[in-house]
Amino acid sequence: MTGPRGEARTAAMHRLFVAIRPPEPVRDLLIDAMDDSPELRWVSDDNLHLTLRFIGDVERPLADDIAAALGRIRCEPFDLRIAGIGAFELRHGGAVWAGVQPREPLTMLAAKVERLCQTASLTPERRAFHPHFTLARWNRWSAAAAQRLVERNRGLASDPFAVDRFTLFESRLSRHGAHYEVVAEYRLEPS
Ligand code: ATP
Ligand code: MG
């Protein structure tokens, strides 16, 4: 496994990503859209998030530099709402996600995070930015359950909610799934 600058992973590395945590009423709405289908691997309340930038494995000094640089981002708070549901196909399965509107403020904030990551000499993110909240993951045998989830929640929508901060998370992977820890929170301030 290699890190975001192509170096080999060591035990001392930190798997980081930058994300937005939804407020509780939005988490409740997303959880209400879920069911008890055992074929899907559901995202827990604690893990619901919208990824702005996956950083990947970095060593402590670089992690500290990134954490400090994120604090220099200037961005106004903005409103988002949940709008729609869909599914990504991955190699051996996929993910069901809730969509968000509007995209522009997220795209602008993600671009600021991306610029900073490149200044910190991370490899540029080549994949297009598709803001979403992952609800569940499926494997190659449970595509039908994922499709049912999408069909049942076609009109998924929330009231607008304020985004006034973003978060640097460290992800710890284990047999029991990912556990995210807050490294730092960054407030969005009106100018
Ligand atoms: P698990 O890997 O156990 O399914 P997870 O995907 O939530 O859980 P991570 O793999 O640590 O945990 O990922 C954290 C966040 O970063 C998630 O939003 C994930 O979709 C995203 N992510 C992970 N790997 C990449 C990648 N290579 N490129 C872009 N985003 C990624
Ligand atoms: Mg993952």
Side-chain angles (χ1 to χ4, degrees):
M1 198 168 172
T2 56
R5 294 195 294 186
E7 70 283 37
R9 182 173 207 285
T10 70
M13 287 186 142
H14 303 271
R15 181 180 174 92
L16 303 182
F17 65 101
V18 180
I20 290 170
R21 270 284 283 171
E24 192 178 353
V26 174
R27 299 203 305 274
D28 289 347
L29 175 103
L30 297 176
I31 286 166
D32 282 348
M34 301 178 181
D35 57 49
D36 54 5
S37 168
E39 297 116 297
L40 300 180
R41 190 154 60 86
W42 300 97
V43 175
S44 67
D45 189 340
D46 284 346
N47 280 16
L48 285 168
H49 67 278
L50 182 156
T51 301
L52 290 167
R53 174 54 148 97
F54 178 72
I55 293 171
D57 289 309
V58 294
E59 288 180 8
R60 181 84 268 156
L62 180 54
D64 291 343
D65 288 350
I66 291 167
L70 286 169
R72 294 192 286 273
I73 286 184
R74 290 289 160 262
C75 178
E76 303 232 346
F78 53 89
D79 279 0
L80 282 185
R81 59 196 157 76
I82 302 295
I85 191 166
F88 290 133
E89 292 275 350
L90 303 172
R91 222 175 321 157
H92 299 295
V96 177
W97 46 264
V100 286
Q101 288 292 341
R103 304 279 179 82
E104 293 74 21
L106 284 169
T107 305
M108 295 226 320
L109 178 54
K112 289 179 183 179
V113 175
E114 178 61 30
R115 216 169 306 137
L116 167 166
C117 287
Q118 292 185 24
T119 303
S121 79
L122 301 186
T123 308
E125 176 57 80
R126 291 183 206 295
R127 306 199 305 184
F129 178 56
H130 296 295
H132 64 275
F133 290 100
T134 297
L135 302 179
R137 297 195 173 79
W138 83 83
N139 62 34
R140 65 185 110 181
W141 300 283
S142 40
Q147 205 47 50
R148 284 196 297 276
L149 174 65
V150 170
E151 293 301 331
R152 259 200 323 278
N153 288 284
R154 280 277 173 224
L156 189 65
S158 76
D159 291 333
F161 57 95
V163 177
D164 63 0
R165 68 195 63 199
F166 63 93
T167 307
L168 177 62
F169 284 101
E170 175 162 356
S171 172
R172 296 177 197 273
L173 303 179
S174 80
R175 286 187 293 127
H176 311 290
H179 175 75
Y180 308 148
E181 275 168 31
V182 174
V183 176
E185 274 198 327
Y186 304 90
R187 292 194 64 88
L188 305 180
E189 308 277 5
S191 53

